């Protein structure tokens, strides 16, 4: 496990959610913020503020087209915020999380944690690789162990 960073308390985490999406995951916006903080800690990322938006397929499709030039919704998008080098923006489609969790036979919250870790590693500058996959899986395990039942 990674040590608690001295900068952890100074990180800013904001979570926006479409209210009608929240019940589907079974966690509150505050709990999502705690989970995101645990992901940052597990990945040893202490110098990044994060704005997380939990959204629906329609908004994700719009953002995916705008930022990636790809049709349809995706599960997670992450990119540096336009107003600061130290703030990353991550958007996660909750319906996509639920579909993929069902497809993979996982709990939705487990898949949400995986997508958070994946998006955070992109914000930290990593590209898809075996190293990124391994770091993601290790972080997911650490985060899930740290969460209350």
């Amino acid at each position: 496990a990674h040590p608690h960073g001295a900068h952890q308390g100074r990180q800013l985490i904001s979570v926006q959610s479409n209210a009608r999406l929240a019940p589907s995951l079974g966690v509150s916006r505050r709990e999502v913020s705690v989970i995101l903080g645990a992901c940052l800690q597990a990945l040893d990322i202490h110098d990044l503020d994060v704005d997380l938006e939990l959204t629906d397929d329609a908004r994700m499709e719009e953002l995916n087209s705008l930022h990636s030039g790809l049709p349809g919704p995706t599960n997670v998008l992450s990119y540096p915020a336009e107003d600061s080098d130290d703030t990353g923006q991550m958007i996660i489609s909750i319906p996509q999380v639920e579909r993929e969790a069902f497809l993979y036979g996982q709990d939705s919250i487990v898949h949400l944690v995986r997508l958070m870790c994946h998006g955070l590693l992109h914000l930290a500058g990593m590209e898809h690789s075996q190293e990124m996959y391994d770091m993601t899986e290790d972080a997911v395990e650490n985060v899930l162990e740290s969460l209350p039942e």
Side-chain angles (χ1 to χ4, degrees):
H2 293 285
H4 292 279
H7 302 289
Q8 185 74 15
R10 284 187 241 146
Q11 276 180 299
L12 296 176
I13 297 172
S14 72
V15 177
Q16 302 168 34
S17 178
N18 180 330
R20 64 181 188 273
L21 298 178
S24 61
L25 271 183
V27 292
S28 69
R29 194 166 52 183
R30 189 188 75 65
E31 290 166 325
V32 169
S33 181
V34 168
I35 293 168
L36 185 56
C39 292
L40 285 161
Q41 182 179 331
L43 293 166
D44 203 20
I45 299 172
H46 302 288
D47 55 353
L48 182 70
D49 296 334
V50 181
D51 291 328
L52 171 63
E53 179 182 344
L54 303 176
T55 194
D56 59 17
D57 282 339
R59 172 125 170 95
M60 183 58 95
E61 184 170 2
E62 175 186 318
L63 293 169
N64 197 28
S65 176
L66 179 68
H67 293 285
S68 304
L70 298 172
T74 188
N75 51 17
V76 60
L77 289 172
S78 58
Y79 42 87
E82 295 174 15
D83 60 352
S84 169
D85 291 336
D86 296 332
T87 300
Q89 187 167 14
M90 187 166 32
I91 301 103
I92 295 177
S93 167
I94 296 304
Q96 193 74 4
V97 168
E98 292 175 326
R99 282 191 295 272
E100 290 177 2
F102 177 79
L103 183 66
Y104 303 148
Q106 297 174 340
D107 207 33
S108 293
I109 199 72
V110 173
H111 195 52
L112 177 64
V113 169
R114 179 171 289 105
L115 292 177
M116 285 179 173
C117 290
H118 183 90
L120 289 170
L121 286 172
H122 278 308
L123 289 176
M126 291 197 80
E127 297 296 327
H128 291 139
S129 64
Q130 187 62 45
E131 178 186 18
M132 183 183 186
Y133 173 79
D134 292 344
M135 289 177 73
T136 298
E137 293 309 306
D138 288 346
V140 168
E141 190 175 313
N142 288 337
V143 169
L144 293 176
E145 286 174 2
S146 76
L147 295 178
E149 289 298 318

